[in-house]
Amino acid sequence: MTSIDLSPIPIPPPTLLQQIRTSKLRPFGPVLSGIDKQPHRGQVYVSTIGLEDDEHDLTFHGGVDKAIHQYCVDHYSYWADRFPARDVRARFVPGGFGENLVADGWDERTVCIGDWVRIGPPGSSGTGGSNGCLLEVSLPRQPCFKLNQRFGIKNFAPRTHQEAKTGWYYRVLEEGWIEEGMEIRIIRRSHPRWSIARLHHYVHRDKTDMMVTQELMAIKVIGDECRNVFVDRWQNQQAKEAAARRPPAPWRKFRVTSHTAETPRIVRLELEAVSPRSPRSAPTAIPPGSHALIKLPNGVRRPYSIVHGHMDSFVLGVALDETSRGGSSYIHQSLRRGNTVEVAEITHGLPLDKMASHHIFIAGGIGITALLAMMKRLQDTNQDYHLHYAVRTAMDVAFATQLADLEPRVTVYDKSQGQRVDIAAILRSRIWNSHVYVCGPQRMIDAVVQTAAAVDMAPEEVHYELFQGDTTPGDPFTVEVISPDRKAKLQVGAEQSLLEVVRDAGFEIGSSCEVGNCGACRIPVRCGRVQHRGTALTESEQKSEMLACVSRGIGHIVVAVED
């Protein structure tokens, strides 16, 4: 990725407030929206939550960090020149982007995050009350699907952020009265390297520069919606690096406090730590999309998605696998209330994308367990989502109580009634900036991944998790294992994994999910070719690393481990 110029940006000269625009929430297609703003004549009061009489869609366009939206009026001629059809061109007029403040001269290249902006009478330096207001630039606007509908242009919304012409948000530092014709002036610039356009670049394009990521996540005036992108990016990178270095997690004992039939094929397990680590008054939360590696009394280890709970007490759902090799069959037939199991480190495997405008969940059977907590989090934060859940019969609907709480954003497909999930139709009709999350049989995951590519979804918009590892046999291979203290040449059979062979030889390799989702078992490859399986490594990471739990060497490979 080519780096961009990060030299300081001069403060632009003052400009004039041409229009103030406000609106009530009104129906806009299937949702309520405040995008249809009208000119407001005369004075209007600016409070910490925005302009008087201006209603916000709080899902994406409200709150103190998004109190006021400004858009450069010069952009409208830019867009009109690129979409010259008469009916489309006529829509590119001030107010089209749903902005509150209409002004020219300033744009995303000249306005910087953290700028203090005074709106007040020309020639005056006072702020607050009759002297106007004081604002602080807080966020680039995250464009939503409504722009596609408003302008009648397919995929117009992503183009606005690709070209950094989205406008920006303000938080209000000092309340006061404003009106058309007042002066807009930047009176302080605290972060002259970080224009709105440069933030767009590092949010949407260059996602690998960790030095820039660290710098941006430390800038407190960036609103949480944007700053958390960088915080999450850094934490994910740190987690990947830590997973490669750390020794296997210590096992903790958990007692089975409930073992009940959720459906004819699914057991609901409630587990509670024998020795809790956190106080009952403030238990440590488990991130949505997490799973736990369970060691059963028969010695078998299997990963299971966590439905809900915290680090000392949580719920699992386990389906009886028709080809069980001792995991699900033991849980269904032998495990009982009062028994103990061991739990390794709980791993966050399927994160929610915080910059998505809409979330599509597709689940098959027991795959619903990986997604329930994620949807609950979205519901609690008033975000948009929909679940498509495929089951064999109505009797196989798992965790019906939790699903009822998610209504009406759930569609269940009963195979016995001839109902099928039409993946192509779901993804083709998606709103802009949708992300899809799928957990279920491999054929379902493959169908979603292939269909997403066919309908022009970017790879980073598709998230999936296997609830079974790729255990299909492979060709035997040999491996030379190098550690700081010793070396060993080992044979990996067709039915064996590299992880179990290396562990049996006395080397330590961390692991968690053991199905290729989490990356805890990633190890460096010094030499040789690898047949990559699993989802935890990016294409670039696969050039030098492999997942010991599912990936396989071709012929002979050399790997490094920390002994």
Side-chain angles (χ1 to χ4, degrees):
M1 177 70 67
T2 304
S3 60
I4 63 173
D5 178 17
L6 293 178
S7 57
I9 298 167
I11 294 177
T15 185
L16 292 179
L17 180 56
Q18 297 180 7
Q19 288 184 359
I20 302 171
R21 304 181 73 94
T22 61
S23 70
K24 299 294 186 181
L25 289 176
R26 299 183 179 90
F28 188 84
V31 299
L32 290 175
S33 173
I35 195 171
D36 189 22
K37 300 191 185 301
Q38 302 300 314
H40 188 288
R41 307 301 179 190
Q43 288 191 329
V44 60
Y45 192 73
V46 181
S47 74
T48 54
I49 58 173
L51 301 179
E52 184 181 29
D53 296 328
D54 189 49
E55 293 184 344
H56 294 167
D57 167 16
L58 293 177
T59 304
F60 292 108
H61 304 298
V64 294
D65 283 344
K66 299 179 179 180
I68 297 174
H69 177 225
Q70 183 171 336
Y71 195 71
C72 177
V73 72
D74 301 325
H75 290 343
Y76 287 110
S77 59
Y78 173 90
W79 293 122
D81 288 343
R82 279 148 185 79
F83 299 97
R86 182 176 301 177
D87 59 332
V88 177
R89 185 183 181 92
R91 301 186 187 110
F92 289 113
V93 294
F97 274 69
E99 66 267 32
N100 298 115
L101 306 182
V102 178
D104 61 9
W106 295 6
D107 62 23
E108 293 78 0
R109 297 167 300 170
T110 60
V111 171
C112 291
I113 200 74
D115 281 352
W116 282 15
V117 175
R118 173 190 173 275
I119 303 179
S124 172
S125 60
T127 57
S130 60
N131 285 313
C133 64
L134 181 62
L135 311 177
E136 184 175 55
V137 178
S138 54
L139 285 166
R141 179 182 175 175
Q142 171 69 2
C144 70
F145 70 98
K146 299 167 192 172
L147 294 178
N148 299 336
Q149 297 173 232
R150 187 167 185 82
F151 294 107
I153 303 170
K154 183 179 180 180
N155 293 328
F156 178 65
R159 185 163 179 174
T160 65
H161 75 66
Q162 289 165 6
E163 302 191 31
K165 297 184 186 300
T166 64
W168 55 92
Y169 285 112
Y170 294 109
R171 62 175 65 91
V172 178
L173 300 182
E174 289 188 37
E175 300 181 351
W177 295 90
I178 63 173
E179 61 183 324
E180 292 178 7
M182 280 187 166
E183 180 186 73
I184 308 179
R185 177 188 292 271
I186 295 174
I187 63 172
R188 192 186 84 166
R189 172 155 288 178
S190 55
H191 299 283
R193 299 170 67 235
W194 291 110
S195 67
I196 295 298
R198 289 175 181 174
L199 280 180
H200 272 296
H201 176 82
Y202 285 103
V203 169
H204 298 288
R205 295 177 187 160
D206 188 346
K207 303 179 181 181
T208 61
D209 191 325
M210 289 298 120
M211 290 185 64
V212 166
T213 295
Q214 282 184 280
E215 181 176 349
L216 290 173
M217 63 189 259
I219 298 177
K220 302 300 185 183
V221 294
I222 300 177
D224 287 346
E225 178 186 87
C226 184
R227 195 166 67 89
N228 284 345
V229 171
F230 302 111
V231 172
D232 290 348
R233 189 176 295 166
W234 174 254
Q235 290 177 343
N236 289 339
Q237 178 66 24
Q238 293 299 103
K240 287 182 179 180
E241 293 176 1
R245 296 191 302 266
R246 66 176 174 244
W251 294 88
R252 299 176 63 199
K253 285 190 176 182
F254 278 69
R255 183 172 290 106
V256 179
T257 58
S258 177
H259 181 289
T260 56
E262 181 69 27
T263 75
R265 296 182 56 251
I266 297 174
V267 160
R268 174 192 176 101
L269 280 183
E270 296 184 27
L271 303 179
E272 186 171 304
V274 173
S275 300
R277 288 181 175 174
S278 55
R280 291 185 179 273
S281 59
T284 304
I286 296 175
S290 296
H291 53 257
L293 183 63
I294 307 296
K295 185 190 292 184
L296 300 170
N298 64 352
V300 171
R301 302 192 301 187
R302 293 288 184 269
Y304 296 105
S305 295
I306 295 172
V307 178
H308 61 81
H310 53 79
M311 289 295 184
D312 290 325
S313 178
F314 53 85
V315 173
L316 308 175
V318 181
L320 180 60
D321 187 347
E322 295 170 353
T323 60
S324 173
R325 295 175 294 129
S328 65
S329 60
Y330 183 91
I331 289 173
H332 277 250
Q333 298 163 12
S334 302
L335 194 67
R336 293 291 179 265
R337 185 174 181 272
N339 293 161
T340 59
V341 299
E342 293 183 82
V343 179
E345 183 178 12
I346 292 171
T347 306
H348 190 198
L350 196 61
L352 286 164
D353 192 290
K354 295 181 180 179
M355 295 299 285
S357 302
H358 178 67
H359 304 265
I360 302 168
F361 294 91
I362 300 176
I366 192 60
I368 189 65
T369 57
L371 308 180
L372 281 167
M374 300 171 70
M375 292 182 288
K376 180 64 165 59
R377 172 67 58 83
L378 292 173
Q379 183 185 58
D380 290 345
T381 54
N382 194 32
Q383 297 189 58
D384 197 22
Y385 67 91
H386 197 92
L387 167 67
H388 301 269
Y389 181 24
V391 294
R392 296 180 180 182
T393 72
M395 294 288 291
D396 291 311
V397 173
F399 298 96
T401 300
Q402 285 91 330
L403 287 174
D405 292 339
L406 302 175
E407 293 288 358
R409 296 173 174 177
V410 175
T411 302
V412 176
Y413 302 81
D414 184 341
K415 183 178 179 181
S416 69
Q417 300 298 314
Q419 299 168 358
R420 296 287 188 275
V421 180
D422 190 338
I423 293 171
I426 292 168
L427 298 188
R428 283 197 195 101
S429 62
R430 73 191 187 281
I431 64 176
W432 176 78
N433 197 25
S434 292
H435 281 237
V436 61
Y437 309 80
V438 57
C439 186
Q442 186 64 53
R443 63 182 181 277
M444 173 179 276
I445 294 173
D446 291 343
V448 169
V449 172
Q450 293 164 11
T451 304
V455 299
D456 298 324
M457 292 188 75
E460 59 266 25
E461 295 174 336
V462 182
H463 314 267
Y464 54 94
E465 182 168 78
L466 302 166
F467 54 78
Q468 286 183 324
D470 185 351
T471 57
T472 55
D475 292 335
F477 63 97
T478 58
V479 57
E480 181 177 0
V481 183
I482 301 174
S483 78
D485 300 323
R486 62 189 174 114
K487 298 181 180 180
K489 291 185 178 180
L490 307 171
Q491 175 80 33
V492 181
E495 303 285 345
Q496 295 176 295
S497 72
L498 175 62
L499 178 64
E500 61 183 317
V501 169
V502 172
R503 277 182 173 163
D504 287 345
F507 294 93
E508 297 287 355
I509 298 181
S511 69
S512 181
C513 75
E514 298 195 5
V515 294
N517 287 326
C518 72
C521 67
R522 59 200 286 161
I523 55 173
V525 179
R526 301 293 190 220
C527 180
R529 294 191 300 142
V530 175
Q531 179 190 27
H532 290 285
R533 299 177 178 178
T535 65
L537 296 182
T538 65
E539 187 173 338
S540 62
E541 290 169 337
Q542 289 177 357
K543 295 176 181 177
S544 60
E545 297 177 283
M546 69 183 293
L547 300 175
C549 65
V550 291
S551 296
R552 304 188 65 80
I554 299 174
H556 178 75
I557 62 173
V558 180
V559 302
V561 301
E562 293 187 9
D563 201 0

